[in-house]
Amino acid sequence: MADPPEISFAGIFACSAFAACLAELCTIPLDTAKVRLQLQKRAPSGESKYRGLLGTVAMIAKEEGLCALWKGIIPGLHRQFLYGGLRIGLYEPVKAFFVGSSYVGDVSIFSKILAALVTGAIAISVANPTDLVKVRLQAEGKLPSGVPRRYTGALNAYYTIVKQEGVVSLWTGLGPNIARNAIINAAELASYDHVKETILNIPGFTDNVLTQVLAGLGAGFFAVCIGSPVDVVKSRMMGDSIYKGTLDCCFKMLKTEGLFAFYKGFFPNFGRLGSWNVLMFLTFEQVKKIFI
């Protein structure tokens, strides 16, 4: 997904931020379902309230109303504007830094992965407060009926968290969040590059919508396979204050829920990331043409 040099950082940032926000707007109901499934703990009876992606979406809509599926959309858009814009906007400059500005030829998969790890870590370090507020608002819906909600909206959530927990608390879960987003960013960008390149080497394929859709699905699949455990830990730490840190969260989950708890919500996660990547990369590739 190398971009023509005449497209400025601001242009790439604008394209990727717009594409990421559009993908977020369309797929956040799946993300809400994914978060609920990840935050769901095993009941003493062995029965779970939420079952499967569509079942969770349907139950949330039935019990809380259709709008509840878009809970957290405002901080979600804040996040995607910052994170989506920075991770892709910085990708080519960082990749060029690693291989050298005078380098000519195909960039190795190692350099692509390294560049994506760095840009993912930088981007989420800036955007972590928006991620925290989004998860907190999405988790609000699981409170029992009659229990007062902590936040009335995104701006109120930012204010309340800073007032009650301090400014530093906006970066709660930063460790697992950096791990998750650096890893997922590497999986998404490197695999999108590689899958797309592989498809284009097949006779009859060109850089069109079908190629971009297939490459986007590949990026989503690899991202979920690699990043699911850290994604679950991140959701748990941001959605629940009982954990003292990343390792404490991992050990408690392993002890009380078993190894498969780290892959809770795997299929909803793929449904979310697969569709998100298709929409994001497809939109990005099309909007980018405006600047060429």
Side-chain angles (χ1 to χ4, degrees), residues 277-289:
N277 273 278
V278 168
L279 280 168
M280 197 284 291
F281 282 115
L282 185 59
T283 304
F284 174 71
E285 296 277 17
Q286 303 308 310
V287 174
K288 193 173 65 175
K289 293 176 182 177

Side-chain angles (χ1 to χ4, degrees), residues 40-75:
Q40 179 171 249
K41 297 178 178 65
R42 185 182 293 165
S45 62
E47 293 184 1
S48 300
K49 179 180 179 180
Y50 301 118
R51 294 185 180 181
L53 176 61
L54 296 180
T56 303
V57 169
M59 182 165 287
I60 293 171
K62 181 181 178 181
E63 293 184 349
E64 304 167 41
L66 201 60
C67 290
L69 292 168
W70 274 268
K71 203 157 194 176
I73 185 60
I74 300 302

Side-chain angles (χ1 to χ4, degrees), residues 147-163:
V147 176
R149 281 4 185 196
R150 293 178 292 176
Y151 315 115
T152 58
L155 294 179
N156 177 256
Y158 288 118
Y159 174 77
T160 304
I161 291 168
V162 170
K163 184 180 178 181

Side-chain angles (χ1 to χ4, degrees), residues 79 124 128 131 171-184 227-238 243-247 249-250:
R79 177 190 187 275
I124 201 58
N128 195 82
D131 218 8
W171 278 267
T172 298
L174 181 61
N177 214 11
I178 286 178
R180 173 197 180 264
N181 285 278
I183 291 169
I184 289 179
S228 195
V230 286
D231 185 48
V232 173
V233 171
K234 180 217 71 168
S235 292
R236 287 292 180 89
M237 287 189 67
M238 289 184 168
Y243 304 112
K244 298 175 183 177
T246 305
L247 291 177
C249 181
C250 291

Side-chain angles (χ1 to χ4, degrees), residues 51-224:
R51 294 185 180 181
L53 176 61
L54 296 180
T56 303
V57 169
M59 182 165 287
I60 293 171
K62 181 181 178 181
E63 293 184 349
E64 304 167 41
L66 201 60
C67 290
L69 292 168
W70 274 268
K71 203 157 194 176
I73 185 60
I74 300 302
L77 292 176
H78 294 167
R79 177 190 187 275
Q80 291 304 336
F81 180 81
L82 289 173
Y83 176 69
L86 286 172
R87 73 181 184 118
I88 295 178
L90 291 171
Y91 179 65
E92 289 298 328
V94 171
K95 190 168 66 173
F97 172 79
F98 284 130
V99 300
S101 56
S102 60
Y103 180 83
V104 177
D106 293 333
V107 178
S108 69
I109 188 69
F110 174 77
S111 295
K112 292 176 183 177
I113 291 172
L114 189 59
L117 284 170
V118 171
T119 59
I122 292 171
I124 201 58
S125 294
V126 175
N128 195 82
T130 63
D131 218 8
L132 174 71
V133 169
K134 186 182 83 165
V135 170
R136 290 279 183 95
L137 289 174
Q138 288 175 323
E140 285 270 275
K142 74 184 182 73
L143 295 174
S145 179
V147 176
R149 281 4 185 196
R150 293 178 292 176
Y151 315 115
T152 58
L155 294 179
N156 177 256
Y158 288 118
Y159 174 77
T160 304
I161 291 168
V162 170
K163 184 180 178 181
Q164 296 181 353
E165 304 172 45
V167 175
V168 177
S169 65
L170 288 171
W171 278 267
T172 298
L174 181 61
N177 214 11
I178 286 178
R180 173 197 180 264
N181 285 278
I183 291 169
I184 289 179
N185 193 49
E188 285 179 350
L189 295 187
S191 62
Y192 182 81
D193 254 349
H194 212 67
V195 171
K196 183 178 173 182
E197 186 179 304
T198 301
I199 292 172
L200 290 176
N201 286 331
I202 300 173
F205 279 89
T206 58
D207 189 3
N208 55 20
V209 171
L210 176 61
T211 299
Q212 292 158 12
V213 167
L214 293 174
L217 282 172
F221 179 74
F222 284 115
V224 176

